[in-house]
């Protein structure tokens, strides 16, 4: 008389397959939920992004015109691009651009820090003059989109459209070159505007 014992490996194989299928289903459901949340956030942010891009049209047009005209850094722009090229060397700048306000204070004066050089380091070393202009155009556009998006978040559609219109009008009051220039007073304009909006938004909490 013989007794048959079940194979342990054979009995656990269906259980493992079922567990794998359950894990796969759970992962797919989690991915579906994540994608739906991302899609909802994108749909919510789309009006602000669209209004911000519309407000950035003067800067985008100015950037495209500079690239088409073959913009080249000269004067202060040339010094800034040269110092940006130095970032990835052993002589990386630790201070910002020299300022002629030192003629008034009788002291050597520089901008607070080398952040502008760091921003332009990669396009200055590996790109061309066009890539430097394009970098500034992209940074300004992102800053404007950020301002308009924050306005939409804090004040709804009315404040969003008002902010976009005000920024577009402000761009018309500036010289075309300042909308894409690497010169430090122009390069910091729209990032500083975004900083103002961020401080305002944080202060409302």
């Amino acid at each position: 008389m013989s007794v048959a014992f079940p194979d342990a490996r054979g009995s656990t194989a269906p259980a493992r397959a079922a567990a794998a299928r359950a894990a796969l289903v759970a992962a797919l459901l989690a991915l579906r939920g994540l994608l739906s949340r991302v899609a909802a956030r994108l749909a919510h942010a789309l009006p602000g992004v669209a209004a911000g891009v519309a407000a950035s049209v003067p800067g985008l047009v100015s950037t495209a015109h500079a690239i088409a005209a073959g913009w080249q850094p000269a004067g202060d722009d040339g010094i800034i691009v040269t110092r940006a090229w130095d970032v990835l060397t052993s002589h990386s700048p630790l201070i910002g651009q020299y300022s002629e306000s030192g003629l008034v204070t009788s002291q050597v004066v520089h901008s607070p820090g080398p952040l502008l050089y760091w921003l332009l380091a990669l396009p200055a070393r590996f790109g061309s003059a066009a890539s430097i202009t394009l970098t500034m155009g992209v940074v300004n556009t992102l800053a404007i989109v950020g301002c308009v998006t924050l306005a939409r978040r804090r004040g709804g559609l009315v404040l969003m459209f008002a902010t976009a219109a005000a920024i577009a009008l402000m761009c018309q009051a500036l010289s075309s070159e300042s909308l894409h220039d690497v010169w430090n007073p122009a390069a910091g304009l729209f990032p500083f505007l975004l900083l103002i909006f961020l401080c305002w938004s944080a202060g409302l909490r």
Side-chain angles (χ1 to χ4, degrees):
M1 179 177 181
S2 62
V3 179
F5 293 95
D7 187 0
R9 290 178 299 177
S11 62
T12 58
R16 290 180 179 177
R21 287 194 297 269
L24 179 60
V25 171
L28 291 176
L29 290 177
L31 179 60
R32 178 182 177 184
L34 177 62
L35 291 177
S36 62
R37 288 194 297 270
V38 170
R41 288 182 177 272
L42 290 177
H44 179 74
L46 184 59
V49 173
V53 172
S56 305
V57 167
L60 295 173
V61 171
S62 174
T63 302
H65 181 268
I67 294 175
W71 175 88
Q72 294 292 329
D76 288 342
D77 291 351
I79 296 175
I80 291 172
V81 173
T82 301
R83 297 301 284 152
W85 194 90
D86 289 337
V87 168
L88 300 178
T89 69
S90 58
H91 302 287
S92 179
L94 302 178
I95 55 178
Q97 181 73 349
Y98 169 79
S99 173
E100 290 187 353
S101 60
L103 300 177
V104 178
T105 62
S106 299
Q107 300 288 333
V108 177
V109 178
H110 292 264
S111 297
L115 186 60
L116 178 59
Y117 303 146
W118 298 349
L119 173 66
L120 300 175
L122 293 179
R125 177 170 286 271
F126 301 109
S128 61
S131 64
I132 295 172
T133 305
L134 182 61
T135 298
M136 292 309 308
V138 170
V139 168
N140 291 336
T141 299
L142 292 177
I144 293 174
V145 171
C147 293
V148 176
T149 302
L150 286 172
R152 194 285 176 84
R153 180 180 180 182
R154 292 302 182 184
L157 294 177
V158 174
L159 185 59
M160 179 191 76
F161 287 119
T163 301
I167 293 176
L169 290 174
M170 182 187 72
C171 291
Q172 297 299 322
L174 300 172
S175 64
S176 176
E177 187 175 3
S178 65
L179 301 180
H180 65 264
D181 200 5
V182 299
W183 188 42
N184 49 314
L189 179 61
F190 291 106
F192 181 67
L193 180 63
L194 177 59
L195 177 62
I196 294 175
F197 271 81
L198 286 170
C199 294
W200 164 71
S201 179
L204 292 179
R205 293 185 176 181

